[in-house]
Amino acid sequence: LQWNGWFSRAQVEALGWVIRIPVGDAPHLGNINWLQLSFNGGWIEIDKITRIVVPNAAPVALCKNVTVAADANCTADAYIDNGSYDQDGDVITIVQSPAGPYALGPTLVTLTVTDSKGASSSCQSTVTVVDNTPPALNVSVVKPMLWPPNHEMVKAITYTTSDNCSDVEVSMIVDVDDELGGDGDTTVDAQLGDGVVLLRAERSGKGSGRIYTVTLTATDAAGNYTTVAAGPVEVQHDSRK
């Protein structure tokens, strides 16, 4: 029965001796869920209205720790709610502070749950942003043939690096295919510079020439790495090849 402010005797008799009228959210009546009216001898006894007060229960805030991968800006969004709810079934709003996106590493986040009557509760969890993206490493052989074999260091390879979260360190391994070795007195045949690899234009005059193969590895602060092999770079026995 939906209350519109009036009840007939027939309505009261049909429902029995006592009826309870749900009033819902009625600010002028206070925190009241029901009005109870008694029927006595064919009359509704208005003076016997009973107010039944049910207190509002605060919502329940539930949190969880979250680990997420960093994006291209080295930040990430995350949601720590773990099924927060309202005990009375009221509509709730959920707010995280700070709101994110979150920086690399751990961040303590507070989640606050508020129901439609203004009651609230909070919990805290940790959002951890990790860097698991390897750096970018682009390598180009700019001089695949070194000539003349004058023992000079020549810019043979260039490279660029980038990473979403940190600086990048580059290391190098050089494989030299030259069965007779060089015909000079040099000992260092490859150097790693800033964005460049220098190789020595040298080979044995008695052999078939020299072939360099260079492997570069870029590593970021989190230990992620990318490896690229470049080559071959040749030092011919003579210019006719």
Side-chain angles (χ1 to χ4, degrees), residues 99-159:
Y102 303 101
L104 190 68
T107 301
L108 184 64
V109 179
T110 299
L111 181 142
T112 300
V113 184
T114 305
D115 68 15
S116 57
K117 296 181 177 65
S120 65
S121 62
S122 299
C123 57
Q124 288 184 320
S125 285
T126 299
V127 172
T128 303
V129 180
V130 296
D131 176 17
N132 56 15
T133 302
L137 173 61
N138 299 302
V139 181
S140 298
V141 177
V142 295
K143 201 169 183 62
M145 194 73 65
L146 305 183
W147 190 265
N150 57 5
H151 312 291
E152 296 293 326
M153 299 297 290
V154 179
K155 182 174 75 172
I157 296 171
T158 60
Y159 66 89

Side-chain angles (χ1 to χ4, degrees), residues 162-186:
S162 63
D163 188 73
N164 61 330
C165 287
S166 68
D167 293 334
V168 176
E169 293 186 2
V170 179
S171 59
M172 176 178 69
I173 298 175
V174 179
D175 179 68
V176 180
D177 183 7
D178 186 349
E179 69 274 14
L180 297 180
D183 59 2
D185 55 3
T186 56

Side-chain angles (χ1 to χ4, degrees), residues 213-233:
T213 301
V214 178
T215 301
L216 298 177
T217 299
T219 306
D220 65 18
N224 306 303
Y225 64 90
T226 299
T227 298
V228 176
V233 175

